Amino acid sequence: MLDKVEITTSLLAYWRHELYGPLNIIQGYSDLILEEIEEDNRFSETHKFYIIPSDILRTGKDIQAIISDTLSSNILNEGNRFCNITEVRSLLEQLTVPKINFIELKASEILACSDVPINTSDVEKILRAASNLRLLLGENMVWLKSYSSPIEDRQVSKLIGKELDKNWSGNRASLFDVEKSLNEIKSHSHGKCVRAEDFKILIVDNNRSNQELLYRQLERERYSVSLAESGEDALQAVSEDNFDLILLDIVMPGLNGYQVLDRLKKGRWQHIPVIMISSLAEIESITKCIEMGAEDYLPKPFSFTLLRAKIDACLENKKLRDQEKIYVSRLALANQEIEELNKKLEAENNRL
């Protein structure tokens, strides 16, 4: 059993960050399945292969609302910042496990069909994500027990990583990584208009499943997409290739999103628009990113329709800025030619 501990903003952010990970996979792949069904145009909205993913997506959003409400800053009662984590965990489990059971039941129902007209690997990812979410909400919660020490926390991350699905756990962020990101907030002073195939996007996220989900969604839109699993990989990638947009996660081991954004905007890549994508929904985080030069900010879990709109807006603005630079360059060249002609004309007048 966990004793009563001081509930801090960092701890709440870390807790939400961990739970939103598999939840983002559940919602993202359900949404992707629905989009593919609608494009296929073989099933009506009353068909079971349309209804089931819709039910899973809606249930995922219900779980998100429960987690958000339960782990909100409201539990930091005035004058009483200490809380029994086990009691909060039990409440979360009580409210969410029936819904997780429902998601697993519906996903299994699809897989049990002999002739499934949708991508079964996507359904299996939903099923694994639901299992991971159940594990994170489980009684042991080894990932949350030793949160006070960065070293212990990294060891705990390795331990829970062995139990979680490897595609989801991957190079997992720890409470230390969340706190580092939040501390940087505190230390801070204050229809398509573009042709997708003409643009190249870099996705920076240490979560492999999030990477794959974004990659699949953007690839379907015909964007050229590259991947980076860390801040260091991202900086290496932009130094070797030309990108029109960067989708950047915040909480990552090593260089976090704020540090990468800072280097981008202070270096020769400041012209590349950056959209921050993170489970940190604190208004200070959004404010910090915008002040540092990010084009936009999108909290997880997110609607891909909204992300697509933000991407289109960013690329359209970049296209206009690039055109403006070309026009300014041409105007400067034209002015130079006019100046040279005026000098020749003046010399000819003097000769005459």
Side-chain angles (χ1 to χ4, degrees), residues 2 28 52 67 84 92 105 135 149 226 281 291 295 337 352:
L2 293 173
I52 293 177
I67 293 172
N84 191 314
L92 271 176
L105 178 65
L135 180 62
S149 167
S226 296
E291 289 179 349
E295 197 80 7
E337 291 175 351
L352 292 173

Side-chain angles (χ1 to χ4, degrees), residues 31 39 70 138 198 301:
D31 201 20
E39 287 179 359
T70 306
D198 293 339

Side-chain angles (χ1 to χ4, degrees), residues 118-283:
I118 56 182
N119 192 337
T120 56
S121 65
D122 292 346
V123 182
E124 289 169 351
K125 290 183 179 71
I126 292 173
L127 202 55
R128 288 199 299 269
S131 175
N132 290 332
L133 183 58
R134 182 195 301 278
L135 180 62
L136 288 170
L137 288 165
E139 186 175 354
N140 291 330
M141 275 201 315
V142 295
W143 57 275
L144 196 57
K145 285 186 176 180
S146 301
Y147 69 90
S148 59
S149 167
I151 297 177
E152 290 179 1
D153 190 49
R154 282 193 288 270
Q155 292 172 342
V156 169
S157 291
K158 291 180 181 179
L159 177 60
I160 191 66
K162 293 178 181 178
E163 300 181 47
L164 290 170
D165 175 68
K166 63 179 181 180
N167 291 323
W168 179 80
S169 57
N171 187 16
R172 297 180 67 249
S174 66
L175 175 67
F176 174 69
D177 300 314
V178 172
E179 287 181 333
K180 185 172 67 171
S181 299
L182 292 176
N183 286 337
E184 291 200 23
I185 299 174
K186 298 174 184 176
S187 65
H188 189 56
S189 59
H190 47 264
K192 287 191 178 182
C193 299
V194 297
R195 282 167 43 91
E197 53 267 31
D198 293 339
F199 295 93
K200 191 165 188 178
I201 298 176
L202 176 64
I203 298 172
V204 187
D205 196 319
N206 64 297
N207 186 311
R208 295 193 191 101
S209 292
N210 283 341
Q211 275 189 348
E212 183 183 354
L213 176 59
L214 280 171
Y215 184 91
R216 288 271 304 280
Q217 289 169 327
L218 293 177
E219 191 181 44
R220 291 179 67 244
E221 298 293 318
R222 297 192 174 182
Y223 289 109
S224 175
V225 186
S226 296
L227 303 175
E229 292 190 354
S230 68
E232 293 83 353
D233 290 344
L235 294 176
Q236 181 68 25
V238 296
S239 68
E240 297 174 350
D241 204 346
N242 295 320
F243 293 96
D244 300 290
L245 176 66
I246 298 175
L247 303 181
L248 179 60
D249 193 19
I250 292 180
V251 181
M252 296 183 292
L255 288 178
N256 61 36
Y258 300 127
Q259 294 167 321
V260 175
L261 179 63
D262 182 65
R263 297 193 187 188
L264 289 171
K265 294 306 175 181
K266 288 182 179 179
R268 64 181 187 273
W269 309 294
Q270 57 184 302
H271 64 283
I272 306 177
V274 179
I275 297 179
M276 309 299 288
I277 300 178
S278 177
S279 57
L280 295 179
E282 284 73 13
I283 190 64

Side-chain angles (χ1 to χ4, degrees), residues 84-103:
N84 191 314
I85 293 182
T86 302
E87 293 179 359
V88 178
R89 182 211 64 79
S90 297
L91 176 62
L92 271 176
E93 188 177 43
Q94 178 183 350
L95 294 173
T96 60
V97 165
K99 296 183 179 298
I100 295 174
N101 291 340
F102 177 80
I103 290 174

